[in-house]
Amino acid sequence: MHEVSIALGMVDELTRIASENNATKITLVKLKIGKLSGIVVDSLIFAFDAIKLEHPIMTSAEIIINEIPLIYECNDCNTKFETEDIYFPECTGCKSYNLTIVSGEEQHIENVEVEV
Amino acid sequence: MCDTCGCDHDHEIKDSKTIDVNQSLLKSNDEAAASNRKHFNEKGIYVVNLISSPGSGKTTLLEKTIEALKDSISIGVLEGDIETELDAERIRAKGVPAVQLTTGGACHLESALIHKGFHKLEHQLDGKKLDILFIENVGNLVCPSFFDLGEHIRVVLISVPEGHDKPIKYPKAIKTSQVMLITKTDLVEHFDFDIEKTKKDALALNPSIKILVTSAKTGEGLDKWFELLNDALTGK
């Protein structure tokens, strides 16, 4: 249930961003969420849709999620590969476990569409 | 007259624009955590965030740690729970100041609450300097791993009765911790718990995690835990 806390923090940030940009309304929020972020997207949207009703500037805001695939790079043979294995992935080139995450841990607000 | 369609009132025409943000969803907590850490550093306080499932032995570990170290170092505790003062009372009974942080339902602590709790603790200290502050997080292996509190180390406890599959089931707790304590090892003969597998899985997830095998009941491994804390205090 950390998604509720994350949604509360996001609403605070959106309020700040709207105010800094003299926005009258937030219409769209684009998020980047990696497969390894540990954020349950449906829970986050559910929480945001409930909290936004208390904030007139974003009551009609929608969320679009850009889901980022889990990509590793092998430290032994430099192969880059995408995988669904979130625990103990092995390199598709040389079977090594010595890997670095390239993407998949993202939990970012990418951009916000507003009316000014 | 309206320029758009010739009607006799002004349409409200609004411009829309896209604002690039590219910042973490956890920015507000992370900023508060950085501010906490700066404050702790200025005061020379080493801060340990204990996370685990409910019932893994966090409070018992703290009781044993206080018994062993309270004569040589000054200890304070922030106790996170959903409800009740029970844990803070257990800590105060050992003679060290403790503030209970009740989250009222939230399953983890956040930096803003730590900030408030620390100031409350300072009132109890009455000017006395702290060497070490333990934060006992709400019992939960999922959510606390998302929230930096401004600690210097995060310590995750995995107890024998929970089963040795915990590291692979809760990888983020392992990945974001610097130390893992396997606790309640006095019970190992009664459970199907493979200590070596637990260590191997944790190291595969986080190659730099330091692992200690402990029992608060028999005292096994606690000397290494105290040594780790003393080293951190002298090395800071």
Side-chain angles (χ1 to χ4, degrees):
Chain A
M1 279 302 287
H2 50 278
E3 286 82 3
V4 175
S5 298
I6 291 172
L8 283 165
M10 181 167 93
V11 166
D12 286 347
E13 274 308 301
L14 291 174
T15 306
R16 186 188 60 77
I17 290 162
S19 150
E20 277 178 12
N21 289 277
N22 300 318
T24 53
K25 193 174 169 190
I26 296 171
T27 51
L28 195 67
V29 182
K30 281 191 191 166
L31 305 179
K32 265 199 252 187
I33 307 285
K35 272 190 182 300
L36 206 62
S37 70
I39 292 174
V40 179
V41 165
D42 287 348
S43 300
L44 183 65
I45 293 175
F46 177 80
F48 177 73
D49 283 348
I51 298 162
K52 73 181 183 184
L53 301 177
E54 292 174 4
H55 300 265
I57 203 164
M58 62 185 90
T59 44
S60 57
E62 283 190 42
I63 288 186
I64 291 184
I65 307 273
N66 178 9
E67 237 185 302
I68 308 296
L70 183 52
I71 295 173
Y72 285 91
E73 181 167 1
C74 177
N75 296 326
D76 293 330
C77 73
N78 300 325
T79 302
K80 267 191 194 177
F81 63 97
E82 187 180 330
T83 176
E84 296 287 317
D85 185 354
I86 64 166
Y87 295 121
F88 305 116
E90 60 179 45
C91 173
T92 50
C94 71
K95 305 272 179 205
S96 168
Y97 292 106
N98 180 15
L99 310 170
T100 302
I101 291 178
V102 178
S103 77
E105 290 187 310
E106 295 79 359
Q107 41 191 27
H108 281 75
I109 304 174
E110 194 170 3
N111 60 48
V112 180
E113 273 184 37
V114 298
E115 285 179 2
V116 288
Chain B
M1 197 168 71
C2 165
D3 294 337
T4 310
C5 61
C7 72
D8 59 1
H9 63 271
D10 284 333
H11 288 295
E12 203 181 358
I13 298 173
K14 292 194 166 172
D15 286 333
S16 67
K17 68 171 180 176
T18 303
I19 303 160
D20 281 330
V21 182
N22 286 318
Q23 71 182 36
S24 169
L25 274 168
L26 289 161
K27 186 178 176 230
S28 54
N29 182 72
D30 289 345
E31 283 178 353
S35 156
N36 285 349
R37 191 172 285 111
K38 185 167 172 276
H39 190 63
F40 295 140
N41 286 340
E42 281 164 6
K43 299 223 162 213
I45 304 169
Y46 189 71
V47 182
V48 181
N49 178 7
L50 296 172
I51 68 169
S52 81
S53 314
S56 296
K58 293 184 296 300
T59 315
T60 305
L61 177 75
L62 279 179
E63 288 173 322
K64 295 287 174 189
T65 306
I66 291 163
E67 282 170 18
L69 304 181
K70 77 168 179 184
D71 291 337
S72 55
I73 58 172
S74 163
I75 302 172
V77 179
L78 296 178
E79 275 289 344
D81 269 306
I82 289 174
E83 285 295 346
T84 80
E85 280 268 326
L86 294 172
D87 280 1
E89 284 164 10
R90 279 174 66 182
I91 298 300
R92 284 188 211 115
K94 294 284 168 194
V96 306
V99 167
Q100 183 77 48
L101 307 171
T102 44
T103 62
C107 49
H108 57 271
L109 296 174
E110 293 180 28
S111 289
L113 192 57
I114 296 302
H115 175 87
K116 284 186 203 156
F118 181 69
H119 285 308
K120 215 171 153 189
L121 189 71
E122 279 184 318
H123 283 293
Q124 286 189 31
L125 289 168
D126 207 17
K128 194 176 145 202
K129 188 193 165 299
L130 277 189
D131 294 315
I132 194 160
L133 173 69
F134 290 102
I135 300 168
E136 182 179 336
N137 220 308
V138 179
N140 177 353
L141 265 184
V142 186
C143 311
S145 57
F146 283 79
F147 295 89
D148 183 4
L149 303 178
E151 72 266 27
H152 295 101
I153 53 165
R154 187 175 294 176
V155 178
V156 57
L157 281 67
I158 305 283
S159 71
V160 165
E162 288 170 67
H164 55 222
D165 53 5
K166 284 295 165 295
I168 58 168
K169 279 187 174 172
Y170 300 93
K172 193 151 184 147
I174 304 298
K175 283 183 172 187
T176 62
S177 295
Q178 290 76 48
V179 179
M180 178 173 95
L181 260 61
I182 299 173
T183 61
K184 307 191 189 184
T185 54
D186 52 291
L187 295 173
V188 79
E189 61 182 296
H190 306 292
F191 289 89
D192 186 17
F193 188 97
D194 185 337
I195 290 178
E196 289 314 309
K197 177 180 162 44
T198 312
K199 285 184 178 175
K200 202 176 132 209
D201 288 348
L203 286 168
L205 289 163
N206 178 356
S208 63
I209 199 164
K210 194 170 168 59
I211 302 171
L212 302 178
V213 177
T214 66
S215 162
K217 191 150 195 165
T218 65
E220 181 193 0
L222 291 184
D223 51 339
K224 293 204 175 89
W225 165 243
F226 303 147
E227 192 184 309
L228 184 145
L229 294 174
N230 276 319
D231 286 353
L233 285 175
T234 49
K236 72 179 175 182

